[in-house]
Amino acid sequence: MEENNHVTAVANVPPEPPLVINNEIHLFLSETAKWSKFLAIVGFIMAALIILAGIAFMIFGSAFAAQLPAQFAFTGMIGVIYAVMGLLYYFPAKYLYDFSTYAHQALAIQNQEALVYAFSKLKSFYKFWGIMMVIVLAVYGVALVFGVLGTLVFSAMN
C-alpha cells in the first residue's frame, strides 16, 4: 500500500496577514463607537418611555374605559402592545451599546478578541433590524392584500 505523502507541512504555509487598523480606520471606528453609544443611550431612554407609556395605557386606560366611547375599549390591549414594542426596542439598543463599549475597549488596549466581540454585536444589531424589517414588510404586504380585497368586496356589495 502506498501512503499519501503529498501533504504540505503547516510550517511551510505562510501565515495570513493580519488585518491592519491604521490611524484613519482607528479614527473612524472610534467615532463610530461614540455615535453608537449615543444612539444606544437614546434607544434605552426611548424603550423605557415606550414601556412606561404602555403601563400608563394599561393602568389609566382600563380605569377610564367605562367613560370612553366603545372604540376606545381596548386601551389595555394597546398598553400591552406598547410594552412589547418597548421591550423589542431594548434589544437593538443593547447590541449597539455592547458594540460601542467593546470597540472602544479594543481600540484602547489593542485587544483583538474585544474587537471581534464588538463586531459580533454590530452584526446582531443589523440582523435584528433586518428580521424586524422583513416582518414589517410582510405585515404591510398582508395589509395591502386585505385592503384591496376589502375594497373589491365592498365595491361589489354596492
Side-chain angles (χ1 to χ4, degrees), residues 32-81:
T32 301
K34 288 176 188 174
W35 280 107
S36 296
K37 185 168 278 192
F38 169 73
L39 291 174
I41 290 170
V42 170
F44 287 138
I45 292 169
M46 293 305 295
L49 290 175
I50 292 169
I51 291 170
L52 288 175
I55 292 170
F57 268 116
M58 286 186 275
I59 293 172
F60 299 118
S62 59
F64 295 117
Q67 300 168 349
L68 294 173
Q71 65 263 28
F72 296 108
F74 295 107
T75 54
M77 186 61 161
I78 292 172
V80 171
I81 292 170

Side-chain angles (χ1 to χ4, degrees), residues 92 95-96 121-132:
Y95 293 144
L96 206 54
K121 291 303 178 179
L122 189 62
K123 179 215 50 119
S124 296
F125 171 80
Y126 283 114
K127 184 177 179 179
F128 180 89
W129 278 117
I131 291 169
M132 290 303 294

Side-chain angles (χ1 to χ4, degrees), residues 140-151:
Y140 284 170
V142 169
L144 181 66
V145 167
F146 279 118
V148 168
L149 289 176
T151 302

Side-chain angles (χ1 to χ4, degrees), residues 1-153:
M1 283 187 116
E2 289 185 32
E3 291 184 26
N4 188 358
N5 292 328
H6 300 289
V7 178
T8 57
V10 177
N12 294 338
V13 177
E16 290 184 27
L19 183 63
V20 176
I21 298 179
N22 62 19
N23 288 337
E24 192 176 23
I25 294 171
H26 189 281
L27 178 69
F28 291 152
L29 194 52
S30 177
E31 191 171 337
T32 301
K34 288 176 188 174
W35 280 107
S36 296
K37 185 168 278 192
F38 169 73
L39 291 174
I41 290 170
V42 170
F44 287 138
I45 292 169
M46 293 305 295
L49 290 175
I50 292 169
I51 291 170
L52 288 175
I55 292 170
F57 268 116
M58 286 186 275
I59 293 172
F60 299 118
S62 59
F64 295 117
Q67 300 168 349
L68 294 173
Q71 65 263 28
F72 296 108
F74 295 107
T75 54
M77 186 61 161
I78 292 172
V80 171
I81 292 170
Y82 265 69
V84 169
M85 284 175 29
L87 287 174
L88 284 176
Y89 207 79
Y90 167 81
F91 292 106
K94 175 70 170 132
Y95 293 144
L96 206 54
Y97 185 81
D98 287 346
F99 163 74
S100 172
T101 301
Y102 285 95
H104 182 70
Q105 176 186 354
L107 293 174
I109 62 173
Q110 301 293 315
N111 186 341
Q112 183 72 27
E113 289 91 22
L115 189 60
V116 169
Y117 187 75
F119 277 107
S120 76
K121 291 303 178 179
L122 189 62
K123 179 215 50 119
S124 296
F125 171 80
Y126 283 114
K127 184 177 179 179
F128 180 89
W129 278 117
I131 291 169
M132 290 303 294
M133 186 55 61
V134 168
I135 291 170
V136 166
L137 290 174
V139 168
Y140 284 170
V142 169
L144 181 66
V145 167
F146 279 118
V148 168
L149 289 176
T151 302
L152 292 173
V153 169

